[in-house]
């Protein structure tokens, strides 16, 4: 089938390459000519495991092409996916839908008389699909097919998703989407058919639940710090309850990225617009708990440095908001690094993939070529992005390079006993400190 994908950012580029992998002829569309030029050359402008290989494979075969022309795109395919971003508005917590509206209006202006299906994948406030369907009336039918991609696993989540949600109003629209996703459905992926409002709410509700679970265990970390309890043991104990489960119960500096924070804020803002603000008022506290963990990390850093960060050398391991990504949008790691820098510390950052993005966005920070280089002469080390490479570091080797082997594990990821045995003073949020053990 011939498909178009509007928007070639994180969602769109991934969707386009994966649709080509499923056997479709795909045309990616973007208004940014530099981005299109890079994609035509087989280069992905961000880091996502497995994506560059798919892109190169299908641009070489001719199954995947890119353009800046809406006219070409409208004539190319029968199914048009809308995959542009919906960032937080600068003047409120609400979602900025300008890019979504621009795609729909631009596409509508070039659609002919042939049947067409426009499929929204962008995360939008409930009610958006109804409004867009009215704008497309007489030109194309609308469907809503929310995405559930995890950065670092986006290719896997597209080719082998845990569910497909099809927001449709007609049997032909559902049949067409089932044809698009036939290889995925045949592999056993569950399909949920829904109306527009439900399809829109699935993504925002899922993000709200995930954010709540993460903030819950971080709230428990606050209580554990006040009482001397260990949040890691607490999480393990309650995680055995099958009604709760253990996933995303690791306390730390909280969530970030370009989706979760802005999506829960937009959800709460939309609830206010609908007159049901009280139903999602708890999301404001979820957001506040999340941000407090960053503040607590800075506070703990200051405490460990004798009450002042002025003139201290602090190493930060991690810049991306999560591992297997170079995305620094709302990165807790860089937020903490900047706050510590503003308190007078000399901060040096290392990340396996996000260094270029971090340097461009935060040029006042220092940057190292490796983790050992970052910790050299450090008075304090902060582990803030849980890259597997950091878990595999030799703590004894790193200890010898520091001015003082003292670390805060902001992700609850490192083996505290191993680091303490290697001579480190080990701290983690919500857990009792592990004093350094003198090595024989």
């Amino acid at each position: 089938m011939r498909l178009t994908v509007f928007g070639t950012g994180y969602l769109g580029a991934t969707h386009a390459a994966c649709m080509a992998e499923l056997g479709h002829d795909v045309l990616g569309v973007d208004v940014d000519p530099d981005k299109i030029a890079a994609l035509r050359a087989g280069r992905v402008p961000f880091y996502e495991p497995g994506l560059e290989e798919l892109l190169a494979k299908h641009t070489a075969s001719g199954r995947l092409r890119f353009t800046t022309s809406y006219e070409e795109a409208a004539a190319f395919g029968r199914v048009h996916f809308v995959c542009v971003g919906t960032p937080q508005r600068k003047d409120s917590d609400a979602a900025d839908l300008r890019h979504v509206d621009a795609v729909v209006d631009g596409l509508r202006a070039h659609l002919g008389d042939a049947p067409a299906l426009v499929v929204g994948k962008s995360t939008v406030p409930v009610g958006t699909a109804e409004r867009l369907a009215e704008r497309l009336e007489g030109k194309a039918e609308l469907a809503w097919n929310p995405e559930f991609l995890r950065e670092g696993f986006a290719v896997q989540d597209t080719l082998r998703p845990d569910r497909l949600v099809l927001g449709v109003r007609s049997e032909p629209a559902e049949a067409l989407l089932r044809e698009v996703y036939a290889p995925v459905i045949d592999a056993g992926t569950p399909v949920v058919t829904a109306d527009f409002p439900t399809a829109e709410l699935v993504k925002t509700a899922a993000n709200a639940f995930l954010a709540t679970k993460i903030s819950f265990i971080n709230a428990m970390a606050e209580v554990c710090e006040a009482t001397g309890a260990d949040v890691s043991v607490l999480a393990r104990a309650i995680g055995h309850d099958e009604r709760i489960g253990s996933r995303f119960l690791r306390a730390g500096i909280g969530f970030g990225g370009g989706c979760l924070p802005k999506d829960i804020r937009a959800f709460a803002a939309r609830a206010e617009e609908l007159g049901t603000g009280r139903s999602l008022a708890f999301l404001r506290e979820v957001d506040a708990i999340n941000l407090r963990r960053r503040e607590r990390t800075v506070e703990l850093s200051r405490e460990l440095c004798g009450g002042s960060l002025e003139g201290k050398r602090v190493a930060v391991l991690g810049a991306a908001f999560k591992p297997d990504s170079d995305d620094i949008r709302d990165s807790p790691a860089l937020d903490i690094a900047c706050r510590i820098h503003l308190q007078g510390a000399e901060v040096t950052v290392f990340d396996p993939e996000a260094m270029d993005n971090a340097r461009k966005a935060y040029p006042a920070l220092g940057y190292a070529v490796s983790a050992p280089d970052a910790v050299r002469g450090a008075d304090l080390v902060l582990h803030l992005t849980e890259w597997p490479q950091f878990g595999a570091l030799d703590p004894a080797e790193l200890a010898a390079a520091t001015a003082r082997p003292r670390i805060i594990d902001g992700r609850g990821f490192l083996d505290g006993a191993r680091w303490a045995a290697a001579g480190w003073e080990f701290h983690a949020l919500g857990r009792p400190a592990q004093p350094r053990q003198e090595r024989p």
Side-chain angles (χ1 to χ4, degrees):
M1 189 181 298
R2 290 160 67 94
L3 314 174
T4 65
V5 176
F6 286 83
T8 59
Y10 176 78
L11 167 60
T14 303
H15 191 67
C18 288
M19 290 301 99
E21 179 70 5
L22 293 180
H24 301 296
D25 291 319
V26 183
L27 183 64
V29 190
D30 205 291
V31 296
D32 185 340
D34 292 336
K35 189 182 293 185
I36 290 298
L39 291 166
R40 283 174 175 166
R43 298 193 308 272
V44 180
F46 53 86
Y47 176 73
E48 178 60 37
L51 181 56
E52 191 156 272
E53 292 82 356
L54 277 189
L55 182 72
K57 173 183 176 182
H58 294 299
T59 51
S61 71
R63 185 173 288 170
L64 175 59
R65 297 189 290 112
F66 296 93
T67 185
T68 58
S69 170
Y70 272 56
E71 184 176 5
E72 180 185 358
F76 179 85
R78 182 181 174 189
V79 180
H80 307 280
F81 286 95
V82 180
C83 297
V84 293
T86 54
Q88 185 175 325
R89 285 172 49 178
K90 294 181 179 179
D91 60 349
S92 74
D93 285 345
D96 185 343
L97 300 178
R98 286 179 298 169
H99 303 305
V100 172
D101 290 344
V103 167
V104 170
D105 290 343
L107 178 59
R108 186 186 190 283
H110 291 95
L111 288 172
D113 296 328
L117 180 66
V118 177
V119 185
K121 291 194 72 68
S122 304
T123 303
V124 296
V126 62
T128 302
E130 178 66 38
R131 178 174 61 80
L132 296 177
E134 292 176 359
R135 291 165 88 152
L136 287 167
E137 191 170 0
K139 282 290 187 177
E141 186 173 0
L142 184 76
W144 215 262
N145 169 220
E147 58 89 8
F148 303 100
L149 305 189
R150 299 166 297 163
E151 292 198 32
F153 301 91
V155 171
Q156 171 187 319
D157 289 344
T158 304
L159 297 177
R160 294 180 293 278
D162 52 16
R163 79 284 207 192
L164 285 171
V165 176
L166 309 180
V168 293
R169 282 185 165 171
S170 73
E171 291 183 2
E174 180 181 350
L176 194 55
L177 278 175
R178 284 180 176 271
E179 184 179 349
V180 169
Y181 288 114
V184 173
I185 296 171
D186 291 346
T189 298
V191 179
V192 178
T193 304
D195 53 41
F196 284 172
T198 306
E200 291 168 306
L201 282 170
V202 170
K203 176 60 184 292
T204 48
N207 277 354
F209 188 88
L210 176 59
T212 301
K213 190 170 185 179
I214 295 169
S215 282
F216 170 81
I217 200 61
N218 281 330
M220 293 302 100
E222 294 184 7
V223 176
C224 287
E225 288 169 5
T227 60
D230 189 324
V231 73
S232 64
V233 178
L234 173 65
R236 189 164 69 249
I238 65 175
H240 283 295
D241 187 328
E242 63 182 14
R243 298 169 300 175
I244 297 172
S246 60
R247 296 194 67 195
F248 298 100
L249 281 183
R250 191 167 66 210
I253 60 174
F255 55 82
C259 294
L260 213 55
K262 63 96 176 172
D263 285 351
I264 64 168
R265 293 166 193 159
F267 197 13
R270 182 58 176 149
E272 292 285 353
E273 294 171 352
L274 294 169
T276 59
R278 286 186 298 177
S279 63
L280 295 183
F282 72 93
L283 288 181
R284 306 291 187 190
E285 184 57 28
V286 165
D287 195 14
I289 291 168
N290 186 59
L291 294 176
R292 279 205 304 272
R293 301 320 286 158
R294 304 181 189 188
E295 296 170 7
R296 173 56 185 151
T297 305
V298 176
E299 179 184 280
L300 179 57
S301 299
R302 189 170 54 248
E303 291 172 2
L304 293 177
C305 289
S308 174
L309 289 162
E310 186 72 37
K312 300 298 183 181
R313 299 191 67 179
V314 177
V316 172
L317 300 182
F321 87 94
K322 63 172 290 185
D324 294 313
S325 173
D326 64 353
D327 193 344
I328 63 167
R329 290 175 295 174
D330 197 10
S331 165
L334 286 174
D335 184 16
I336 291 167
C338 288
R339 294 185 193 207
I340 288 175
H341 169 71
L342 289 173
Q343 293 193 23
E346 179 185 336
V347 179
T348 304
V349 179
F350 173 72
D351 186 282
E353 292 293 339
M355 296 291 279
D356 288 343
N357 290 339
R359 279 194 188 96
K360 292 173 186 174
Y362 303 97
L365 299 176
Y367 295 93
V369 297
S370 66
D373 184 46
V375 307
R376 190 166 290 112
D379 299 295
L380 175 66
V381 176
L382 303 180
H383 170 249
L384 303 182
T385 307
E386 64 272 38
W387 285 93
Q389 295 94 313
F390 295 154
L393 290 169
D394 182 348
E397 178 184 333
L398 290 187
T402 66
R404 178 167 180 176
R406 181 169 47 191
I407 188 168
I408 298 174
D409 179 11
R411 291 298 185 181
F413 177 74
L414 302 176
D415 183 341
R418 176 171 171 257
W419 284 70
W424 286 81
E425 180 185 333
F426 186 89
H427 300 263
L429 300 180
R431 295 161 59 185
Q434 295 195 46
R436 66 188 299 249
Q437 300 174 21
E438 295 298 333
R439 305 186 74 197

